[in-house]
Amino acid sequence: MVEEHFIPKKYTNSIDNGSFTWSSPSNIALVKYWGKKEHQIPENPSISFTLNHCKTTTKVSFSKKEDASGFSFDVFLDNEKKDDFKPKIETFFKRIDVCLPFLKDYHFKIETTNTFPHSSGIASSASGMSALALCLMSIEAELSLDISKEDFTKKASFLARLGSGSACRSLEGDLVVWGKHDAITGSSNLFGVKYPYQVHSNFKNYQDTILLVDKGEKQVSSTVGHNLMHGHPFAQERFKQANKNLSDMISILKEGDLDAFIALVESEALTLHAMMMTSMPYFILMKPNTLEIINKIWEYRKTSGSKVCFTLDAGANVHVLYPEKEAEKTLEFIQNELLAYCQGGQYICDQIGIGANQL
Ligand SMILES: Nc1ncnc2c1ncn2[C@@H]1O[C@H](COP(=O)(O)OP(=O)(O)OP(=O)(O)O)[C@@H](O)[C@H]1O
Ligand SMILES: C[C@@](O)(CCOP(=O)(O)OP(=O)(O)O)CC(=O)O
């Protein structure tokens, strides 16, 4: 689905070569996007915390080529050629070609680096595709000159969505909604919008420590997972539930109700995995250590009165979420009780961030 507004009439400038670099964070969904229609339209609205430390930095160098008949690009991850990232980018280019008609005029060298392991359920596609979309938008802005800052971000998010749905939630901070929801003004199926309402100070600098239970690549990609929602026996109820959860989240965020926040966020995570377990074919994306960690968090919460909770993406790694004022105690708990369940004792300390930036 292409918004007319995003198709440029003509370019006013001409450039032969140049480069742009953007850094864009990953995000962690509180209400999950799981299931999509054609053209990357989500079946239900979602909301996420933008992260800070987990991010991708991408430099796109472009040079004019003689033959404008097809796409031409190379990808380097951490300075090494990464041909297995090319198909996703090729699909991305095909989807956005009509919105960025210059794509076939240039050869692109895409140099990228992630601060965290990719394809393991820490939304590397979100940070990777949003960083790439922003670099391409910078080229577009050079060629057009008349794009406002607001339109730049909106179109970059629109493009990022066509690279990976959750990527459209990575450009801004600190909470972003993607998907039309009646109670959220400005929300759209086509791009992410900054959460427009009041958020209680309990959520300021909210912490996210990611426990790396399994650093390896997931057995099933999110894209495959979304497609398993077509014809899924519980799909319609799930989409309804996500809408209701997002409605409930509005008052939770306003009131700062941490108990309600915990219940909603943990239920969303387990529902996402329940959908995978009850699809055909079915998958278990958690590992035994994922469950060990969840049980330890529940036990700790009961005995300490802490407001720590967990969420999961479509993988085995656990995001441990907690208020900033509990940071010291929670890290102590994580180090003493949870690291034994992480691969190589590894974890990433992160917190809510403000979004992408140009370097
Ligand atoms: N820096 C990057 N630049 C471009 N593409 C990237 C980058 N990092 C990852 N990708 C692409 O994203 C894919 C991984 O996406 P996938 O959805 O399978 O996992 P994930 O994003 O880590 O997990 P999830 O979205 O389920 O949380 C990679 O195979 C690659 O194609
Ligand atoms: C489990 C999730 O992280 C799903 C992410 O799915 P992707 O955005 O990676 O999927 P594609 O649109 O096919 O690229 C939940 C979420 O981030 O909302």
Side-chain angles (χ1 to χ4, degrees), residues 27-34 36 40 46-48 88 95 121 123 125-126 129 161 163-167 169 178 218 221-224 226 272 312-315:
N27 65 72
I28 178 68
L30 305 171
V31 174
K32 309 288 181 184
Y33 148 55
W34 199 243
K36 59 178 161 182
Q40 296 283 101
S46 55
I47 185 168
S48 50
K88 204 171 172 77
R95 286 180 185 157
S125 56
M129 288 298 163
R161 179 193 107 240
S164 177
S166 56
R169 296 189 313 236
W178 169 40
K218 301 180 298 187
S221 76
S222 291
T223 306
V224 170
H226 289 293
L272 165 69
L312 309 164
D313 262 350

Side-chain angles (χ1 to χ4, degrees), residues 54-73:
C54 286
K55 61 185 176 195
T56 295
T57 300
T58 298
K59 177 180 180 186
V60 175
S61 309
F62 55 101
S63 48
K64 201 95 189 209
K65 61 185 174 69
E66 294 298 315
D67 165 24
S69 62
F71 303 122
S72 167
F73 65 91

Side-chain angles (χ1 to χ4, degrees), residues 34-298:
W34 199 243
K36 59 178 161 182
K37 302 180 190 152
E38 257 196 303
H39 309 297
Q40 296 283 101
I41 301 300
E43 288 279 10
N44 64 260
S46 55
I47 185 168
S48 50
F49 274 154
T50 305
L51 295 181
N52 186 38
H53 175 73
C54 286
K55 61 185 176 195
T56 295
T57 300
T58 298
K59 177 180 180 186
V60 175
S61 309
F62 55 101
S63 48
K64 201 95 189 209
K65 61 185 174 69
E66 294 298 315
D67 165 24
S69 62
F71 303 122
S72 167
F73 65 91
D74 289 309
V75 191
F76 297 82
L77 177 70
D78 301 327
N79 297 318
E80 290 200 9
K81 222 156 183 270
K82 190 71 179 155
D83 286 343
D84 53 337
F85 275 16
K86 287 185 85 172
K88 204 171 172 77
I89 295 174
E90 178 90 26
T91 305
F92 177 44
F93 278 18
K94 278 187 198 143
R95 286 180 185 157
I96 63 174
D97 189 31
V98 60
C99 306
L100 299 179
F102 66 81
L103 280 182
K104 289 196 178 113
D105 297 337
Y106 294 96
H107 172 77
F108 300 96
K109 181 179 182 192
I110 302 167
E111 294 167 278
T112 189
T113 173
N114 298 333
T115 58
F116 59 97
H118 67 81
S119 315
S120 64
I122 317 181
S124 60
S125 56
S127 54
M129 288 298 163
S130 55
L132 181 55
L134 284 159
C135 291
L136 297 175
M137 268 312 291
S138 287
I139 303 175
E140 157 102 339
E142 257 328 85
L143 295 169
S144 310
L145 284 180
D146 60 351
I147 299 177
S148 68
K149 190 171 180 301
E150 197 191 333
D151 271 0
F152 182 99
T153 309
K154 208 191 241 188
K155 183 165 173 181
S157 174
F158 173 90
L159 297 174
R161 179 193 107 240
L162 294 165
S164 177
S166 56
C168 76
R169 296 189 313 236
S170 271
L171 286 79
E172 298 179 275
D174 37 11
L175 278 155
V176 177
V177 174
W178 169 40
K180 185 83 198 106
H181 189 279
D182 288 345
I184 300 181
T185 309
S187 60
S188 168
N189 284 336
L190 303 182
F191 43 78
V193 294
K194 209 171 143 58
Y195 181 70
Y197 306 125
Q198 196 189 330
V199 177
H200 193 278
S201 61
N202 278 351
F203 296 104
K204 193 167 175 271
N205 293 332
Y206 222 69
Q207 307 287 301
D208 179 6
T209 299
I210 305 160
L211 306 179
L212 300 174
V213 171
D214 185 1
K215 291 192 290 168
E217 294 196 16
K218 301 180 298 187
Q219 50 168 320
V220 51
S221 76
S222 291
T223 306
V224 170
H226 289 293
N227 287 330
L228 294 173
M229 289 303 277
H230 295 301
H232 190 294
F234 309 133
Q236 294 316 316
E237 280 307 310
R238 160 61 197 154
F239 303 145
K240 259 195 252 162
Q241 178 200 44
N243 270 282
K244 177 174 186 306
N245 281 347
L246 188 46
S247 298
D248 292 350
M249 191 54 114
I250 298 172
S251 50
I252 291 172
L253 290 172
K254 185 170 171 220
E255 307 299 330
D257 185 342
L258 292 175
D259 290 323
F261 178 81
I262 291 169
L264 193 154
V265 166
E266 292 190 347
S267 159
E268 274 288 320
L270 294 178
T271 302
L272 165 69
H273 282 254
M275 291 298 114
M276 279 305 265
M277 288 185 208
T278 49
S279 62
M280 192 56 80
Y282 41 82
F283 294 95
I284 299 181
L285 301 180
M286 292 187 217
K287 297 280 183 216
N289 281 348
T290 312
L291 288 175
E292 293 285 358
I293 290 169
I294 291 174
N295 279 315
K296 286 276 177 198
I297 289 174
W298 285 346

